[in-house]
Amino acid sequence: MHLDHDPASPAGETIGFDAFLKVDIRIGTILSAEPYPEARKPAYKLLIDFGPGIGRKKSSAQITENYELHDLPGRQVAAVVNFPPRQIGKFLSEVLTLGFADEGGAVILFAPDRTVPNGSRLF
C-alpha cells in the first residue's frame, strides 16, 4: 500500500465506519527520545506512555527534520496501538506514531491541542 503525502491528492477509497473503528488510535506522552543512527532513514527511538490500559510502548519515528531530541519528552502524540510490532533494523517498533507531511515532506507530529489523559482513544 502506497501512502500519498501530496495535499492535492484525492481522498482514499470509501470505507465503512466499522473499518475505521478497527484502527485503535491513542494519545500518549513521550517519556524519552534517543537517536537511532543505525536506521536507514534518519529516525529517533521513542518511549511513549499510553496510560495503564496499554502501558509504555516503543516507536521508531522519522521526525528528525522538525524535532530535536530534547524537545520531545513530555510531548503528547497520537499513535496506532493495534498494528503488529515492526522490526526496524535492530529496533522493534511497537506502535505507529502519526504525523502529517509539511511543505517539504518532513513529518509534523499529530497531537491534541490540549492535554488529554494518556490512553485516550480517537473517535
Side-chain angles (χ1 to χ4, degrees):
M1 179 174 136
H2 171 72
L3 295 177
D4 191 345
H5 302 295
D6 180 357
S9 64
E13 68 180 80
T14 300
I15 62 170
F17 190 67
D18 288 344
F20 168 73
L21 291 176
K22 289 180 182 179
V23 180
D24 192 352
I25 300 172
R26 304 285 183 114
I27 291 297
T29 299
I30 298 173
L31 298 174
S32 65
E34 300 175 13
Y36 188 23
E38 304 87 7
R40 281 185 300 163
K41 295 182 180 178
Y44 294 144
K45 295 189 280 188
L46 306 178
L47 180 62
I48 306 168
D49 180 8
F50 291 97
I54 295 170
R56 296 174 173 192
K57 300 290 180 181
K58 298 179 291 182
S59 182
S60 173
Q62 295 174 2
I63 57 173
T64 60
E65 290 186 44
N66 287 314
Y67 300 94
E68 297 293 329
L69 285 171
H70 63 272
D71 293 328
L72 293 167
R75 180 183 187 100
Q76 286 198 304
V77 293
V80 176
V81 298
N82 66 331
F83 284 160
R86 190 169 171 200
Q87 195 73 40
I88 311 290
K90 294 182 178 184
F91 184 74
L92 186 64
S93 188
E94 300 173 297
V95 299
L96 175 65
T97 304
L98 300 175
F100 293 94
D102 66 11
E103 302 84 17
V107 178
I108 300 293
L109 291 169
F110 180 59
D113 63 355
R114 295 184 189 173
T115 302
V116 297
N118 287 337
S120 294
R121 186 172 182 172
L122 179 75
F123 61 90

